[in-house]
Amino acid sequence: MGLTIQMLGTGSAFAKHYYNNNALLDSGEGKLLIDCGTTASLALHQMGVPLPDIDAILITHIHADHVGGLEEFGFQMNILHRRKPLLYIAEPLIHPLWEHTLKGGMSQQGMIDKLEDVFEVNVITPGVPTTLVAGIQVELIPTRHIPGKNSYSLFINDRLFYSADMVFDPDLLHHLVHERGCRSILHEVQLQGAGEVHTTLDELLSLPTPLQEQIHLMHYSDDMEQFRDKAGIMSFLEQQRVYPLVELERAE
């Protein structure tokens, strides 16, 4: 079995219909959850994926649509299944994740005082390809989102670029495709308005046609259907559909 990706949701931070933009990678040997937003547990329930079946979670940045479900995930795994979930995270995200996101709900005096009390925390270094679960290698790539806050996009198995929330960076996309051998790009998109902290559809439409052919759009607003005919040759990822990676790659 080849690598597959299933989007728990494909929505932007304010989308209600499409859920949070989180994904499940499955190599056939292991499952990796990319981000765990507020709607993650509901989506996994609808997909028929029990939480203990997930081998590890990878966090890209600290916003509720990407980490808002970690409290429930952590408590369920610790209380109901008696084990800590494996959490992969860049070092700069650890302090804000605990102190500014999870501590208020999860801390219990003398029992839970830090992130490591709930999760098996593994620090990964940006720029270093690392095997997170069997059959899934990920390289964290720092990308710009909110000024002053760390955010990381992903290069998976030396062939798939998965953007976190990020402002438009055509140089990075050209580098990945032409110098790193990237075959498919799953890219967040803001359908309307100026791209102050996200990449707009108009910006992606400015890319050369060969690059656009590799792009699949995600993290979109609930009015996505109005933009299907405006996205040109780029396609919108569908919520909870299972995609074999080879299906997303442009034919040579």
Side-chain angles (χ1 to χ4, degrees), residues 31-57:
K31 292 182 174 67
L32 175 69
L33 181 63
I34 300 175
D35 289 329
C36 187
T38 306
T39 59
S41 289
L42 174 60
L44 289 167
H45 173 74
Q46 292 175 343
M47 291 157 53
V49 179
L51 299 191
D53 284 5
I54 295 172
D55 296 289
I57 305 169

PDB file of all heavy atoms in Angstrom, residues 31-57:
ATOM      1  N   LYS A  31       0.180   5.661  10.997  1.00  0.00           N
ATOM      2  CA  LYS A  31      -0.700   6.798  10.738  1.00  0.00           C
ATOM      3  C   LYS A  31      -0.176   8.025  11.481  1.00  0.00           C
ATOM      4  O   LYS A  31       0.094   7.973  12.679  1.00  0.00           O
ATOM      5  CB  LYS A  31      -2.133   6.497  11.202  1.00  0.00           C
ATOM      6  CG  LYS A  31      -2.867   5.427  10.396  1.00  0.00           C
ATOM      7  CD  LYS A  31      -4.286   5.247  10.920  1.00  0.00           C
ATOM      8  CE  LYS A  31      -5.111   4.302  10.047  1.00  0.00           C
ATOM      9  NZ  LYS A  31      -4.595   2.922  10.109  1.00  0.00           N
ATOM     10  N   LEU A  32      -0.074   9.134  10.760  1.00  0.00           N
ATOM     11  CA  LEU A  32       0.382  10.398  11.318  1.00  0.00           C
ATOM     12  C   LEU A  32      -0.705  11.441  11.144  1.00  0.00           C
ATOM     13  O   LEU A  32      -1.173  11.687  10.018  1.00  0.00           O
ATOM     14  CB  LEU A  32       1.662  10.862  10.620  1.00  0.00           C
ATOM     15  CG  LEU A  32       2.189  12.241  11.036  1.00  0.00           C
ATOM     16  CD1 LEU A  32       2.716  12.213  12.469  1.00  0.00           C
ATOM     17  CD2 LEU A  32       3.274  12.725  10.062  1.00  0.00           C
ATOM     18  N   LEU A  33      -1.105  12.078  12.236  1.00  0.00           N
ATOM     19  CA  LEU A  33      -2.082  13.149  12.190  1.00  0.00           C
ATOM     20  C   LEU A  33      -1.344  14.478  12.093  1.00  0.00           C
ATOM     21  O   LEU A  33      -0.507  14.796  12.935  1.00  0.00           O
ATOM     22  CB  LEU A  33      -2.954  13.124  13.453  1.00  0.00           C
ATOM     23  CG  LEU A  33      -4.060  14.173  13.560  1.00  0.00           C
ATOM     24  CD1 LEU A  33      -5.083  14.001  12.447  1.00  0.00           C
ATOM     25  CD2 LEU A  33      -4.738  14.100  14.929  1.00  0.00           C
ATOM     26  N   ILE A  34      -1.645  15.234  11.045  1.00  0.00           N
ATOM     27  CA  ILE A  34      -1.075  16.573  10.887  1.00  0.00           C
ATOM     28  C   ILE A  34      -2.046  17.574  11.494  1.00  0.00           C
ATOM     29  O   ILE A  34      -3.134  17.803  10.961  1.00  0.00           O
ATOM     30  CB  ILE A  34      -0.825  16.911   9.406  1.00  0.00           C
ATOM     31  CG1 ILE A  34       0.154  15.911   8.778  1.00  0.00           C
ATOM     32  CG2 ILE A  34      -0.286  18.333   9.272  1.00  0.00           C
ATOM     33  CD1 ILE A  34       0.350  16.102   7.284  1.00  0.00           C
ATOM     34  N   ASP A  35      -1.680  18.122  12.620  1.00  0.00           N
ATOM     35  CA  ASP A  35      -2.479  19.079  13.381  1.00  0.00           C
ATOM     36  C   ASP A  35      -3.716  18.416  13.978  1.00  0.00           C
ATOM     37  O   ASP A  35      -4.175  17.361  13.517  1.00  0.00           O
ATOM     38  CB  ASP A  35      -2.859  20.301  12.549  1.00  0.00           C
ATOM     39  CG  ASP A  35      -1.667  21.208  12.277  1.00  0.00           C
ATOM     40  OD1 ASP A  35      -0.767  21.250  13.130  1.00  0.00           O
ATOM     41  OD2 ASP A  35      -1.636  21.874  11.227  1.00  0.00           O
ATOM     42  N   CYS A  36      -4.212  19.035  15.030  1.00  0.00           N
ATOM     43  CA  CYS A  36      -5.351  18.471  15.775  1.00  0.00           C
ATOM     44  C   CYS A  36      -6.215  19.635  16.246  1.00  0.00           C
ATOM     45  O   CYS A  36      -6.143  20.072  17.384  1.00  0.00           O
ATOM     46  CB  CYS A  36      -4.845  17.638  16.953  1.00  0.00           C
ATOM     47  SG  CYS A  36      -6.133  16.727  17.842  1.00  0.00           S
ATOM     48  N   GLY A  37      -7.022  20.143  15.321  1.00  0.00           N
ATOM     49  CA  GLY A  37      -7.838  21.305  15.606  1.00  0.00           C
ATOM     50  C   GLY A  37      -9.092  20.973  16.395  1.00  0.00           C
ATOM     51  O   GLY A  37      -9.338  19.826  16.790  1.00  0.00           O
ATOM     52  N   THR A  38      -9.914  21.978  16.580  1.00  0.00           N
ATOM     53  CA  THR A  38     -11.108  21.855  17.406  1.00  0.00           C
ATOM     54  C   THR A  38     -12.055  20.773  16.903  1.00  0.00           C
ATOM     55  O   THR A  38     -12.712  20.097  17.689  1.00  0.00           O
ATOM     56  CB  THR A  38     -11.838  23.210  17.456  1.00  0.00           C
ATOM     57  OG1 THR A  38     -10.913  24.216  17.878  1.00  0.00           O
ATOM     58  CG2 THR A  38     -13.015  23.171  18.413  1.00  0.00           C
ATOM     59  N   THR A  39     -12.130  20.576  15.582  1.00  0.00           N
ATOM     60  CA  THR A  39     -13.063  19.596  15.012  1.00  0.00           C
ATOM     61  C   THR A  39     -12.420  18.235  14.754  1.00  0.00           C
ATOM     62  O   THR A  39     -13.057  17.352  14.176  1.00  0.00           O
ATOM     63  CB  THR A  39     -13.658  20.128  13.699  1.00  0.00           C
ATOM     64  OG1 THR A  39     -12.591  20.385  12.761  1.00  0.00           O
ATOM     65  CG2 THR A  39     -14.444  21.412  13.927  1.00  0.00           C
ATOM     66  N   ALA A  40     -11.169  18.036  15.171  1.00  0.00           N
ATOM     67  CA  ALA A  40     -10.447  16.814  14.809  1.00  0.00           C
ATOM     68  C   ALA A  40     -11.110  15.547  15.338  1.00  0.00           C
ATOM     69  O   ALA A  40     -11.290  14.571  14.602  1.00  0.00           O
ATOM     70  CB  ALA A  40      -8.999  16.890  15.293  1.00  0.00           C
ATOM     71  N   SER A  41     -11.479  15.529  16.616  1.00  0.00           N
ATOM     72  CA  SER A  41     -12.056  14.310  17.188  1.00  0.00           C
ATOM     73  C   SER A  41     -13.380  13.961  16.526  1.00  0.00           C
ATOM     74  O   SER A  41     -13.675  12.780  16.273  1.00  0.00           O
ATOM     75  CB  SER A  41     -12.245  14.473  18.697  1.00  0.00           C
ATOM     76  OG  SER A  41     -10.998  14.465  19.358  1.00  0.00           O
ATOM     77  N   LEU A  42     -14.196  14.972  16.234  1.00  0.00           N
ATOM     78  CA  LEU A  42     -15.462  14.723  15.541  1.00  0.00           C
ATOM     79  C   LEU A  42     -15.212  14.149  14.156  1.00  0.00           C
ATOM     80  O   LEU A  42     -15.851  13.176  13.750  1.00  0.00           O
ATOM     81  CB  LEU A  42     -16.262  16.024  15.442  1.00  0.00           C
ATOM     82  CG  LEU A  42     -17.555  15.964  14.612  1.00  0.00           C
ATOM     83  CD1 LEU A  42     -18.527  14.940  15.187  1.00  0.00           C
ATOM     84  CD2 LEU A  42     -18.199  17.351  14.546  1.00  0.00           C
ATOM     85  N   ALA A  43     -14.269  14.734  13.431  1.00  0.00           N
ATOM     86  CA  ALA A  43     -13.970  14.246  12.092  1.00  0.00           C
ATOM     87  C   ALA A  43     -13.451  12.816  12.121  1.00  0.00           C
ATOM     88  O   ALA A  43     -13.867  11.973  11.312  1.00  0.00           O
ATOM     89  CB  ALA A  43     -12.947  15.165  11.423  1.00  0.00           C
ATOM     90  N   LEU A  44     -12.541  12.514  13.042  1.00  0.00           N
ATOM     91  CA  LEU A  44     -12.011  11.148  13.138  1.00  0.00           C
ATOM     92  C   LEU A  44     -13.120  10.162  13.466  1.00  0.00           C
ATOM     93  O   LEU A  44     -13.150   9.035  12.955  1.00  0.00           O
ATOM     94  CB  LEU A  44     -10.912  11.093  14.200  1.00  0.00           C
ATOM     95  CG  LEU A  44      -9.603  11.790  13.831  1.00  0.00           C
ATOM     96  CD1 LEU A  44      -8.715  11.948  15.060  1.00  0.00           C
ATOM     97  CD2 LEU A  44      -8.870  11.021  12.736  1.00  0.00           C
ATOM     98  N   HIS A  45     -14.067  10.562  14.319  1.00  0.00           N
ATOM     99  CA  HIS A  45     -15.216   9.707  14.633  1.00  0.00           C
ATOM    100  C   HIS A  45     -16.032   9.441  13.375  1.00  0.00           C
ATOM    101  O   HIS A  45     -16.421   8.292  13.110  1.00  0.00           O
ATOM    102  CB  HIS A  45     -16.072  10.385  15.701  1.00  0.00           C
ATOM    103  CG  HIS A  45     -17.366   9.681  15.982  1.00  0.00           C
ATOM    104  ND1 HIS A  45     -17.423   8.499  16.683  1.00  0.00           N
ATOM    105  CD2 HIS A  45     -18.653   9.988  15.641  1.00  0.00           C
ATOM    106  CE1 HIS A  45     -18.692   8.107  16.764  1.00  0.00           C
ATOM    107  NE2 HIS A  45     -19.451   8.990  16.139  1.00  0.00           N
ATOM    108  N   GLN A  46     -16.280  10.465  12.589  1.00  0.00           N
ATOM    109  CA  GLN A  46     -17.052  10.302  11.358  1.00  0.00           C
ATOM    110  C   GLN A  46     -16.304   9.434  10.353  1.00  0.00           C
ATOM    111  O   GLN A  46     -16.931   8.702   9.572  1.00  0.00           O
ATOM    112  CB  GLN A  46     -17.362  11.673  10.754  1.00  0.00           C
ATOM    113  CG  GLN A  46     -18.318  12.510  11.587  1.00  0.00           C
ATOM    114  CD  GLN A  46     -18.509  13.912  11.039  1.00  0.00           C
ATOM    115  OE1 GLN A  46     -17.711  14.386  10.216  1.00  0.00           O
ATOM    116  NE2 GLN A  46     -19.547  14.585  11.488  1.00  0.00           N
ATOM    117  N   MET A  47     -14.988   9.489  10.366  1.00  0.00           N
ATOM    118  CA  MET A  47     -14.167   8.708   9.445  1.00  0.00           C
ATOM    119  C   MET A  47     -13.979   7.274   9.918  1.00  0.00           C
ATOM    120  O   MET A  47     -13.442   6.445   9.187  1.00  0.00           O
ATOM    121  CB  MET A  47     -12.801   9.383   9.285  1.00  0.00           C
ATOM    122  CG  MET A  47     -12.853  10.705   8.537  1.00  0.00           C
ATOM    123  SD  MET A  47     -11.428  11.817   8.887  1.00  0.00           S
ATOM    124  CE  MET A  47     -10.022  10.759   8.563  1.00  0.00           C
ATOM    125  N   GLY A  48     -14.397   6.972  11.150  1.00  0.00           N
ATOM    126  CA  GLY A  48     -14.235   5.626  11.686  1.00  0.00           C
ATOM    127  C   GLY A  48     -12.818   5.305  12.096  1.00  0.00           C
ATOM    128  O   GLY A  48     -12.398   4.140  12.047  1.00  0.00           O
ATOM    129  N   VAL A  49     -12.053   6.329  12.508  1.00  0.00           N
ATOM    130  CA  VAL A  49     -10.667   6.138  12.928  1.00  0.00           C
ATOM    131  C   VAL A  49     -10.592   6.321  14.438  1.00  0.00           C
ATOM    132  O   VAL A  49     -10.685   7.448  14.941  1.00  0.00           O
ATOM    133  CB  VAL A  49      -9.725   7.140  12.241  1.00  0.00           C
ATOM    134  CG1 VAL A  49      -8.286   6.938  12.718  1.00  0.00           C
ATOM    135  CG2 VAL A  49      -9.804   7.012  10.726  1.00  0.00           C
ATOM    136  N   PRO A  50     -10.416   5.247  15.219  1.00  0.00           N
ATOM    137  CA  PRO A  50     -10.269   5.387  16.671  1.00  0.00           C
ATOM    138  C   PRO A  50      -8.980   6.126  17.016  1.00  0.00           C
ATOM    139  O   PRO A  50      -7.963   5.960  16.339  1.00  0.00           O
ATOM    140  CB  PRO A  50     -10.219   3.929  17.169  1.00  0.00           C
ATOM    141  CG  PRO A  50     -10.752   3.102  16.033  1.00  0.00           C
ATOM    142  CD  PRO A  50     -10.390   3.836  14.787  1.00  0.00           C
ATOM    143  N   LEU A  51      -9.010   6.920  18.068  1.00  0.00           N
ATOM    144  CA  LEU A  51      -7.817   7.679  18.450  1.00  0.00           C
ATOM    145  C   LEU A  51      -6.599   6.784  18.681  1.00  0.00           C
ATOM    146  O   LEU A  51      -5.476   7.159  18.293  1.00  0.00           O
ATOM    147  CB  LEU A  51      -8.101   8.531  19.691  1.00  0.00           C
ATOM    148  CG  LEU A  51      -9.201   9.601  19.572  1.00  0.00           C
ATOM    149  CD1 LEU A  51      -9.158  10.517  20.796  1.00  0.00           C
ATOM    150  CD2 LEU A  51      -9.096  10.399  18.293  1.00  0.00           C
ATOM    151  N   PRO A  52      -6.744   5.603  19.307  1.00  0.00           N
ATOM    152  CA  PRO A  52      -5.550   4.765  19.521  1.00  0.00           C
ATOM    153  C   PRO A  52      -4.908   4.257  18.231  1.00  0.00           C
ATOM    154  O   PRO A  52      -3.767   3.786  18.258  1.00  0.00           O
ATOM    155  CB  PRO A  52      -6.090   3.591  20.356  1.00  0.00           C
ATOM    156  CG  PRO A  52      -7.317   4.122  21.016  1.00  0.00           C
ATOM    157  CD  PRO A  52      -7.931   5.045  20.002  1.00  0.00           C
ATOM    158  N   ASP A  53      -5.617   4.339  17.099  1.00  0.00           N
ATOM    159  CA  ASP A  53      -5.043   3.901  15.827  1.00  0.00           C
ATOM    160  C   ASP A  53      -4.037   4.899  15.270  1.00  0.00           C
ATOM    161  O   ASP A  53      -3.290   4.576  14.342  1.00  0.00           O
ATOM    162  CB  ASP A  53      -6.147   3.683  14.790  1.00  0.00           C
ATOM    163  CG  ASP A  53      -6.916   2.391  15.013  1.00  0.00           C
ATOM    164  OD1 ASP A  53      -6.652   1.704  16.022  1.00  0.00           O
ATOM    165  OD2 ASP A  53      -7.789   2.064  14.183  1.00  0.00           O
ATOM    166  N   ILE A  54      -4.028   6.102  15.814  1.00  0.00           N
ATOM    167  CA  ILE A  54      -3.104   7.132  15.338  1.00  0.00           C
ATOM    168  C   ILE A  54      -1.781   6.980  16.080  1.00  0.00           C
ATOM    169  O   ILE A  54      -1.728   7.008  17.303  1.00  0.00           O
ATOM    170  CB  ILE A  54      -3.712   8.528  15.556  1.00  0.00           C
ATOM    171  CG1 ILE A  54      -4.965   8.666  14.684  1.00  0.00           C
ATOM    172  CG2 ILE A  54      -2.698   9.619  15.230  1.00  0.00           C
ATOM    173  CD1 ILE A  54      -5.758   9.911  14.951  1.00  0.00           C
ATOM    174  N   ASP A  55      -0.708   6.834  15.314  1.00  0.00           N
ATOM    175  CA  ASP A  55       0.598   6.568  15.913  1.00  0.00           C
ATOM    176  C   ASP A  55       1.274   7.819  16.440  1.00  0.00           C
ATOM    177  O   ASP A  55       2.058   7.743  17.390  1.00  0.00           O
ATOM    178  CB  ASP A  55       1.504   5.878  14.882  1.00  0.00           C
ATOM    179  CG  ASP A  55       0.954   4.517  14.485  1.00  0.00           C
ATOM    180  OD1 ASP A  55       1.001   3.600  15.317  1.00  0.00           O
ATOM    181  OD2 ASP A  55       0.463   4.389  13.348  1.00  0.00           O
ATOM    182  N   ALA A  56       0.995   8.970  15.822  1.00  0.00           N
ATOM    183  CA  ALA A  56       1.651  10.198  16.256  1.00  0.00           C
ATOM    184  C   ALA A  56       0.896  11.399  15.710  1.00  0.00           C
ATOM    185  O   ALA A  56       0.153  11.302  14.726  1.00  0.00           O
ATOM    186  CB  ALA A  56       3.103  10.236  15.793  1.00  0.00           C
ATOM    187  N   ILE A  57       1.119  12.548  16.372  1.00  0.00           N
ATOM    188  CA  ILE A  57       0.566  13.825  15.942  1.00  0.00           C
ATOM    189  C   ILE A  57       1.726  14.768  15.661  1.00  0.00           C
ATOM    190  O   ILE A  57       2.699  14.812  16.414  1.00  0.00           O
ATOM    191  CB  ILE A  57      -0.330  14.453  17.029  1.00  0.00           C
ATOM    192  CG1 ILE A  57      -1.428  13.484  17.465  1.00  0.00           C
ATOM    193  CG2 ILE A  57      -0.946  15.769  16.530  1.00  0.00           C
ATOM    194  CD1 ILE A  57      -2.174  13.951  18.717  1.00  0.00           C
TER     195      ILE A  57
END
